[in-house]
């Protein structure tokens, strides 16, 4: 009987029972868990809720962003406007007509009757044959000295250029300007006709310098206008 008991006890030899942790350790673990949960809860409560944000703050932020965007857009528009103004000024300057422009009075004409003596009489101008009713223009800027019926010139226009030179446009069917009117090179001043001492539909051009008639051919060539070749440089 004693041997059996002693043998039963030998079954547990070499084995160790896991010691039960003391109650103090349980207390520490539980306390740490509660403390950690409290920290997390405090952190979560400290974070602002999107729903709890003050609407006035949101409105202030939105208004500030809108004001900045409008200010930037206004600055861009102002820069673009300044650029357009500069471009417009340059274009206006480039299109401005200088006072030294000389040009042909009309195109598509036939040059006849040059300046010079014809028998015992001086032909003081040149004749440019063109269909009746063809418009003709001022060759240079000036002031209309006379406009209307002028003796043998028929319906005519005399333009004073202010430097001692005048040009007479004769034999017109109709004139569109009046005395004292200012004109520029290229302004239409009348229609070709056959009034006065004319033989057919033509425009008579006569140039005068200090009251004396002169040959229009060299006079106009000095100003880069070639009546015979029907070419002209815009800027003389």
């Amino acid at each position: 009987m004693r041997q059996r008991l002693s043998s039963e006890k030998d079954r547990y030899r070499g084995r160790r029972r896991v010691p039960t942790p003391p109650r103090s350790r349980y207390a520490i673990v539980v306390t740490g868990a509660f403390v950690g949960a409290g920290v997390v809860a405090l952190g979560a409560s400290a974070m602002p809720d999107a729903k709890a944000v003050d609407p006035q703050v949101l409105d202030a932020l939105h208004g500030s962003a809108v004001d900045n965007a409008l200010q930037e857009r206004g600055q861009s528009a102002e820069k673009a406007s300044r650029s357009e103004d500069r471009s417009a000024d340059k274009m206006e300057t480039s299109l401005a007509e200088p006072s030294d422009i000389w040009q042909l009075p009309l195109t598509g004409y036939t040059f006849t009757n040059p300046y010079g003596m014809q028998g015992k009489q001086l032909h003081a101008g040149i004749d440019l044959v063109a269909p009746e009713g063809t418009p003709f223009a001022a060759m240079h800027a000036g002031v209309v000295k006379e406009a209307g019926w002028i003796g043998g010139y028929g319906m005519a226009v005399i333009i004073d250029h202010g430097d001692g030179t005048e040009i007479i446009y004769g034999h017109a069917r109709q004139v569109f300007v009046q005395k004292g009117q200012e004109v520029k090179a290229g302004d239409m001043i009348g229609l070709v006709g056959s009034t006065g001492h004319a033989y057919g539909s033509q425009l008579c051009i006569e140039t005068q310098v200090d009251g004396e008639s002169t040959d229009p051919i060299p006079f106009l060539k000095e100003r880069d206008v070639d009546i015979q070749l029907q070419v002209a440089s815009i800027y003389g």
Side-chain angles (χ1 to χ4, degrees), residues 143-179:
V143 178
V144 177
K145 183 177 180 180
E146 297 290 343
W149 189 273
I150 306 176
Y153 296 105
M155 293 293 292
V157 177
I158 302 176
I159 296 180
D160 183 359
H161 299 295
D163 57 356
T165 64
E166 298 176 357
I167 295 182
I168 303 173
Y169 304 80
H171 308 316
R173 186 179 78 177
Q174 184 180 359
V175 296
F176 300 135
V177 293
Q178 57 187 357
K179 184 176 180 178

Side-chain angles (χ1 to χ4, degrees), residues 21 43 57 74 88 94 138-139 151 164 180 183 198 201 218 227:
V57 175
S94 64
M139 304 179 70
V183 295
S201 177
I227 287 289

Side-chain angles (χ1 to χ4, degrees), residues 36-185:
V39 172
V40 173
L42 289 174
S45 62
M47 294 178 64
D49 187 1
K51 296 181 180 179
V53 176
D54 189 352
Q56 295 181 355
V57 175
L58 290 178
D59 292 340
L61 292 175
H62 181 266
S64 177
V66 171
D67 292 340
N68 291 336
L70 291 176
Q71 185 177 3
E72 292 178 358
R73 184 179 298 178
Q75 292 176 353
S76 299
E78 185 177 358
K79 291 180 181 179
S81 177
R82 290 177 181 176
S83 178
E84 291 177 359
D85 291 341
R86 294 192 193 99
S87 300
D89 292 340
K90 291 180 180 179
M91 182 177 294
E92 185 175 353
T93 302
S94 64
L95 294 178
E97 294 185 356
S99 60
D100 59 348
I101 291 179
W102 286 82
Q103 67 175 54
L104 293 168
L106 73 164
T107 58
Y109 57 83
T110 300
F111 174 79
T112 62
N113 277 350
Y115 174 90
M117 295 298 296
Q118 294 182 356
K120 295 182 180 181
Q121 187 176 1
L122 174 65
H123 184 244
I126 56 176
D127 295 332
L128 309 178
V129 176
E132 187 164 350
T134 301
F136 62 89
M139 304 179 70
H140 189 57
V143 178
V144 177
K145 183 177 180 180
E146 297 290 343
W149 189 273
I150 306 176
Y153 296 105
M155 293 293 292
V157 177
I158 302 176
I159 296 180
D160 183 359
H161 299 295
D163 57 356
T165 64
E166 298 176 357
I167 295 182
I168 303 173
Y169 304 80
H171 308 316
R173 186 179 78 177
Q174 184 180 359
V175 296
F176 300 135
V177 293
Q178 57 187 357
K179 184 176 180 178
Q181 181 177 339
E182 293 184 1
V183 295
K184 303 186 301 295

